[in-house]
Amino acid sequence: MNSPDAHILIVDDDERIRALLGRFLRKNAFMVTMARDAAQARRLLSGLEFDLIVLDVMMPGEDGFALTRALRQKIQTPILLLTARGDIEDRITGLESGADDYLPKPFEPRELLLRIEAILRRIPAAGTAQPKFLSLGQLRYDTEKGELWQGDSIMRLTGTEQALLRKLAASLGEPVSRAELIEDLGRGGSEDGDNSERAIDVQITRLRRKIEADPKEPRFLQTVRGTGYMLMAD
C-alpha cells in the first residue's frame, strides 16, 4: 500500500496535537480524520474504514490501552500508540493490548511518519492470495481476525503472540528474520540487539506451546537456521 492511499484516524484529547499531526500528515499526502476521545473514535469507526489508527494513551475516560483492547475484539486495523510515558512496562502493556507500535512523546514528526510507513508496508497488498483460515493440526487460524480456534473455542493469545502469528501467517511458507519480527513488535531501536533476539525466541517458545503437539519437535512454527522462523500449515 502506498502511503498517499492511506486514511489515518488520529485520536487525541489535545486539540493542538490533533491539529499539528493532521496538518503534517496531510502535507505528506495522507487522508486524515480526527477524534477527540474514545467515544468519538468509536462512532467514526462504526461507519468508516481506516488503514491505521494513531491513538493517544493518556486520555480522560477510556484510555488508549482500554480502547486498543476493545478494538482488537472487532477489527485488525493497525494501531500506533502515542504517550508521554515511555518506560518499558508501558510499552509491553501497549503491545499486549494489541498495538502494532508504540511511540513515546515528545517525538519528531519525521519519526512518526517513518513508523507509519513501516506499519503500512507490512499490510498485505490488496488482492494478495491469503486463505481466510489456516489449518494447524487440531487448530484453525483465522487470518482476517487474527484468532486461533480449537474446535468451537477461541484460544487466548497475548498481543505479542497475535502480532507474531499475523506476521508469520502473512509470509506463510517463507522464512521471516528475527530482525523483521523485532521491528514488527517495536523492540528495535536503542535496545540491545541480542536481548531483542532473545525476547523473540522466548515469545516463539511460548507460542509453540499453544500451537504444537510437541513444542520440542515443531511441525508448524519452524526454525530456519541462521535466519529466523517460518510458519507452515496443513
Side-chain angles (χ1 to χ4, degrees):
M1 175 185 299
N2 293 325
S3 59
D5 299 324
H7 189 182
I8 297 177
L9 174 63
I10 299 172
V11 188
D12 198 306
D13 64 308
D14 189 318
E15 184 177 357
R16 183 182 64 86
I17 292 178
R18 287 200 309 272
L20 288 172
L21 291 182
R23 284 197 299 270
F24 176 75
L25 293 176
R26 289 189 183 105
K27 185 178 179 181
N28 283 276
F30 290 97
M31 293 183 290
V32 178
T33 298
M34 294 182 281
R36 62 181 174 274
D37 55 23
Q40 187 178 19
R42 286 176 180 275
R43 290 194 294 271
L44 289 167
L45 287 162
S46 68
L48 295 172
E49 290 188 5
F50 296 92
D51 298 294
L52 185 140
I53 302 169
V54 177
L55 174 59
D56 184 43
V57 169
M58 303 298 289
M59 295 187 298
E62 186 178 15
D63 66 18
F65 292 145
L67 180 57
T68 298
R69 286 191 291 269
L71 292 178
R72 278 294 170 259
Q73 301 300 314
K74 302 177 181 179
I75 62 175
Q76 290 302 313
T77 304
I79 297 174
L80 171 59
L81 291 178
L82 303 177
T83 181
R85 304 188 307 188
D87 60 79
I88 188 64
E89 288 302 319
D90 283 325
R91 290 178 61 191
I92 291 173
T93 299
L95 293 170
E96 290 185 339
S97 297
D100 295 81
D101 204 351
Y102 191 100
L103 184 59
K105 297 177 181 177
F107 55 83
E108 290 293 329
R110 179 63 181 167
E111 181 179 5
L112 174 65
L113 180 63
L114 291 173
R115 292 197 182 217
I116 287 174
E117 290 177 342
I119 291 172
L120 294 176
R121 281 197 301 270
R122 298 197 293 265
I123 300 174
T128 299
Q130 185 181 29
K132 176 172 171 54
F133 292 103
L134 299 180
S135 178
L136 307 173
Q138 300 299 311
L139 306 180
R140 186 175 78 257
Y141 179 64
D142 187 325
T143 61
E144 293 181 1
K145 297 182 179 179
E147 296 173 344
L148 188 63
W149 290 81
Q150 184 172 37
D152 295 327
S153 301
I154 190 170
M155 296 184 65
R156 182 183 179 278
L157 296 174
T158 66
T160 299
E161 290 167 347
Q162 289 175 343
L164 278 173
L165 207 44
R166 280 200 304 270
K167 176 66 176 179
L168 291 165
S171 302
L172 187 67
E174 299 178 3
V176 180
S177 71
R178 287 181 174 85
E180 288 181 76
L181 295 174
I182 291 168
E183 181 185 0
D184 261 43
L185 297 181
R187 293 183 177 177
S190 61
E191 293 182 38
D192 180 81
D194 290 340
N195 287 339
S196 295
E197 290 195 1
R198 283 197 291 270
I200 291 294
D201 293 341
V202 169
Q203 294 296 336
I204 289 290
T205 297
R206 292 174 178 170
L207 187 55
R208 277 177 173 157
R209 290 172 185 162
K210 296 184 178 182
I211 68 175
E212 299 284 0
D214 182 0
K216 294 183 178 179
E217 295 290 337
R219 174 183 170 193
F220 303 109
L221 213 176
Q222 300 181 8
T223 299
V224 181
R225 190 176 300 277
T227 302
Y229 298 97
M230 177 172 64
L231 185 69
M232 302 294 291
D234 288 331

